[in-house]
PDB file of all heavy atoms in Angstrom:
ATOM      1  N   MET A 134       4.907  -0.981  -3.885  1.00 94.00           N
ATOM      2  CA  MET A 134       3.771  -1.472  -4.561  1.00 94.00           C
ATOM      3  C   MET A 134       3.916  -1.597  -6.069  1.00 94.00           C
ATOM      4  O   MET A 134       4.954  -1.119  -6.542  1.00 94.00           O
ATOM      5  CB  MET A 134       2.446  -0.718  -4.293  1.00 94.00           C
ATOM      6  CG  MET A 134       2.525   0.785  -4.592  1.00 94.00           C
ATOM      7  SD  MET A 134       0.981   1.649  -4.390  1.00 94.00           S
ATOM      8  CE  MET A 134       0.035   1.067  -6.020  1.00 94.00           C
ATOM      9  N   ASP A 135       2.871  -2.169  -6.838  1.00 93.00           N
ATOM     10  CA  ASP A 135       2.916  -2.224  -8.225  1.00 93.00           C
ATOM     11  C   ASP A 135       3.326  -0.846  -8.860  1.00 93.00           C
ATOM     12  O   ASP A 135       2.699   0.104  -8.443  1.00 93.00           O
ATOM     13  CB  ASP A 135       1.667  -2.805  -8.800  1.00 93.00           C
ATOM     14  CG  ASP A 135       1.499  -4.283  -8.593  1.00 93.00           C
ATOM     15  OD1 ASP A 135       2.614  -4.988  -8.358  1.00 93.00           O
ATOM     16  OD2 ASP A 135       0.423  -4.759  -8.814  1.00 93.00           O
ATOM     17  N   PHE A 136       3.991  -0.908  -9.932  1.00 93.00           N
ATOM     18  CA  PHE A 136       4.232   0.249 -10.729  1.00 93.00           C
ATOM     19  C   PHE A 136       3.105   0.325 -11.849  1.00 93.00           C
ATOM     20  O   PHE A 136       2.939  -0.474 -12.672  1.00 93.00           O
ATOM     21  CB  PHE A 136       5.561   0.174 -11.489  1.00 93.00           C
ATOM     22  CG  PHE A 136       5.849   1.421 -12.316  1.00 93.00           C
ATOM     23  CD1 PHE A 136       5.970   2.667 -11.863  1.00 93.00           C
ATOM     24  CD2 PHE A 136       6.079   1.229 -13.725  1.00 93.00           C
ATOM     25  CE1 PHE A 136       6.251   3.702 -12.695  1.00 93.00           C
ATOM     26  CE2 PHE A 136       6.397   2.307 -14.505  1.00 93.00           C
ATOM     27  CZ  PHE A 136       6.451   3.561 -14.069  1.00 93.00           C
ATOM     28  N   MET A 137       2.330   1.439 -11.751  1.00 91.00           N
ATOM     29  CA  MET A 137       1.149   1.519 -12.708  1.00 91.00           C
ATOM     30  C   MET A 137       1.208   2.902 -13.548  1.00 91.00           C
ATOM     31  O   MET A 137       0.662   3.915 -12.927  1.00 91.00           O
ATOM     32  CB  MET A 137      -0.143   1.368 -12.022  1.00 91.00           C
ATOM     33  CG  MET A 137      -0.139  -0.048 -11.450  1.00 91.00           C
ATOM     34  SD  MET A 137      -1.858  -0.313 -10.475  1.00 91.00           S
ATOM     35  CE  MET A 137      -1.343   0.410  -8.961  1.00 91.00           C
ATOM     36  N   PRO A 138       1.999   2.880 -14.519  1.00 87.00           N
ATOM     37  CA  PRO A 138       2.243   4.257 -15.126  1.00 87.00           C
ATOM     38  C   PRO A 138       1.153   4.769 -16.077  1.00 87.00           C
ATOM     39  O   PRO A 138       1.279   5.822 -16.797  1.00 87.00           O
ATOM     40  CB  PRO A 138       3.557   3.999 -15.939  1.00 87.00           C
ATOM     41  CG  PRO A 138       3.493   2.557 -16.350  1.00 87.00           C
ATOM     42  CD  PRO A 138       2.768   1.929 -15.199  1.00 87.00           C
ATOM     43  N   GLU A 139       0.067   4.034 -16.216  1.00 87.00           N
ATOM     44  CA  GLU A 139      -0.984   4.322 -17.213  1.00 87.00           C
ATOM     45  C   GLU A 139      -2.037   5.319 -16.805  1.00 87.00           C
ATOM     46  O   GLU A 139      -3.099   5.552 -17.491  1.00 87.00           O
ATOM     47  CB  GLU A 139      -1.623   2.969 -17.602  1.00 87.00           C
ATOM     48  CG  GLU A 139      -0.652   2.014 -18.241  1.00 87.00           C
ATOM     49  CD  GLU A 139      -1.278   0.638 -18.573  1.00 87.00           C
ATOM     50  OE1 GLU A 139      -2.210   0.665 -19.531  1.00 87.00           O
ATOM     51  OE2 GLU A 139      -1.068  -0.279 -17.855  1.00 87.00           O
ATOM     52  N   GLY A 140      -1.655   5.884 -15.590  1.00 88.00           N
ATOM     53  CA  GLY A 140      -2.538   6.979 -15.180  1.00 88.00           C
ATOM     54  C   GLY A 140      -3.751   6.588 -14.203  1.00 88.00           C
ATOM     55  O   GLY A 140      -3.882   5.397 -13.880  1.00 88.00           O
ATOM     56  N   ASN A 141      -4.658   7.415 -13.817  1.00 91.00           N
ATOM     57  CA  ASN A 141      -5.759   7.178 -12.858  1.00 91.00           C
ATOM     58  C   ASN A 141      -6.937   7.483 -13.716  1.00 91.00           C
ATOM     59  O   ASN A 141      -7.023   7.938 -14.688  1.00 91.00           O
ATOM     60  CB  ASN A 141      -5.496   8.012 -11.652  1.00 91.00           C
ATOM     61  CG  ASN A 141      -5.515   9.510 -11.932  1.00 91.00           C
ATOM     62  OD1 ASN A 141      -6.427  10.029 -12.550  1.00 91.00           O
ATOM     63  ND2 ASN A 141      -4.634  10.164 -11.336  1.00 91.00           N
ATOM     64  N   MET A 142      -8.003   7.121 -12.889  1.00 92.00           N
ATOM     65  CA  MET A 142      -9.485   7.164 -13.500  1.00 92.00           C
ATOM     66  C   MET A 142      -9.839   8.568 -13.786  1.00 92.00           C
ATOM     67  O   MET A 142     -10.496   8.885 -14.849  1.00 92.00           O
ATOM     68  CB  MET A 142     -10.435   6.574 -12.436  1.00 92.00           C
ATOM     69  CG  MET A 142     -11.831   6.465 -13.153  1.00 92.00           C
ATOM     70  SD  MET A 142     -13.043   5.633 -11.933  1.00 92.00           S
ATOM     71  CE  MET A 142     -12.304   4.059 -11.780  1.00 92.00           C
ATOM     72  N   HIS A 143      -9.402   9.632 -13.005  1.00 90.00           N
ATOM     73  CA  HIS A 143      -9.671  10.934 -13.258  1.00 90.00           C
ATOM     74  C   HIS A 143      -9.103  11.369 -14.616  1.00 90.00           C
ATOM     75  O   HIS A 143      -9.766  11.970 -15.424  1.00 90.00           O
ATOM     76  CB  HIS A 143      -9.077  11.849 -12.149  1.00 90.00           C
ATOM     77  CG  HIS A 143      -9.175  13.289 -12.436  1.00 90.00           C
ATOM     78  ND1 HIS A 143      -8.168  14.066 -13.127  1.00 90.00           N
ATOM     79  CD2 HIS A 143     -10.219  14.188 -12.293  1.00 90.00           C
ATOM     80  CE1 HIS A 143      -8.537  15.265 -13.279  1.00 90.00           C
ATOM     81  NE2 HIS A 143      -9.722  15.350 -12.639  1.00 90.00           N
ATOM     82  N   ASP A 144      -7.790  11.005 -14.824  1.00 88.00           N
ATOM     83  CA  ASP A 144      -7.171  11.350 -16.169  1.00 88.00           C
ATOM     84  C   ASP A 144      -7.805  10.683 -17.335  1.00 88.00           C
ATOM     85  O   ASP A 144      -7.999  11.205 -18.376  1.00 88.00           O
ATOM     86  CB  ASP A 144      -5.688  10.840 -16.089  1.00 88.00           C
ATOM     87  CG  ASP A 144      -4.898  11.594 -15.035  1.00 88.00           C
ATOM     88  OD1 ASP A 144      -5.204  12.701 -14.765  1.00 88.00           O
ATOM     89  OD2 ASP A 144      -3.822  11.089 -14.540  1.00 88.00           O
ATOM     90  N   TYR A 145      -8.313   9.455 -17.176  1.00 87.00           N
ATOM     91  CA  TYR A 145      -8.926   8.752 -18.188  1.00 87.00           C
ATOM     92  C   TYR A 145     -10.314   9.450 -18.542  1.00 87.00           C
ATOM     93  O   TYR A 145     -10.564   9.585 -19.778  1.00 87.00           O
ATOM     94  CB  TYR A 145      -9.221   7.370 -17.690  1.00 87.00           C
ATOM     95  CG  TYR A 145     -10.026   6.441 -18.640  1.00 87.00           C
ATOM     96  CD1 TYR A 145      -9.372   5.932 -19.804  1.00 87.00           C
ATOM     97  CD2 TYR A 145     -11.333   6.178 -18.499  1.00 87.00           C
ATOM     98  CE1 TYR A 145      -9.997   5.081 -20.653  1.00 87.00           C
ATOM     99  CE2 TYR A 145     -12.048   5.356 -19.471  1.00 87.00           C
ATOM    100  CZ  TYR A 145     -11.425   4.774 -20.519  1.00 87.00           C
ATOM    101  OH  TYR A 145     -12.053   4.059 -21.387  1.00 87.00           O
ATOM    102  N   ILE A 146     -11.063   9.742 -17.551  1.00 85.00           N
ATOM    103  CA  ILE A 146     -12.382  10.455 -17.779  1.00 85.00           C
ATOM    104  C   ILE A 146     -12.227  11.743 -18.422  1.00 85.00           C
ATOM    105  O   ILE A 146     -12.810  12.215 -19.363  1.00 85.00           O
ATOM    106  CB  ILE A 146     -13.196  10.531 -16.490  1.00 85.00           C
ATOM    107  CG1 ILE A 146     -13.524   9.129 -15.995  1.00 85.00           C
ATOM    108  CG2 ILE A 146     -14.524  11.346 -16.724  1.00 85.00           C
ATOM    109  CD1 ILE A 146     -14.224   9.120 -14.573  1.00 85.00           C
ATOM    110  N   LYS A 147     -11.223  12.510 -17.902  1.00 85.00           N
ATOM    111  CA  LYS A 147     -10.889  13.882 -18.476  1.00 85.00           C
ATOM    112  C   LYS A 147     -10.384  13.773 -19.959  1.00 85.00           C
ATOM    113  O   LYS A 147     -10.808  14.609 -20.877  1.00 85.00           O
ATOM    114  CB  LYS A 147      -9.933  14.705 -17.643  1.00 85.00           C
ATOM    115  CG  LYS A 147      -9.551  15.934 -18.014  1.00 85.00           C
ATOM    116  CD  LYS A 147      -8.655  16.683 -17.009  1.00 85.00           C
ATOM    117  CE  LYS A 147      -8.257  18.029 -17.528  1.00 85.00           C
ATOM    118  NZ  LYS A 147      -7.324  18.777 -16.581  1.00 85.00           N
TER     119      LYS A 147
END
Side-chain angles (χ1 to χ4, degrees):
M134 57 171 279
D135 282 346
F136 178 63
M137 294 180 280
E139 300 175 73
N141 57 48
M142 188 178 292
H143 172 270
D144 297 336
Y145 178 78
I146 296 174
K147 182 178 179 181

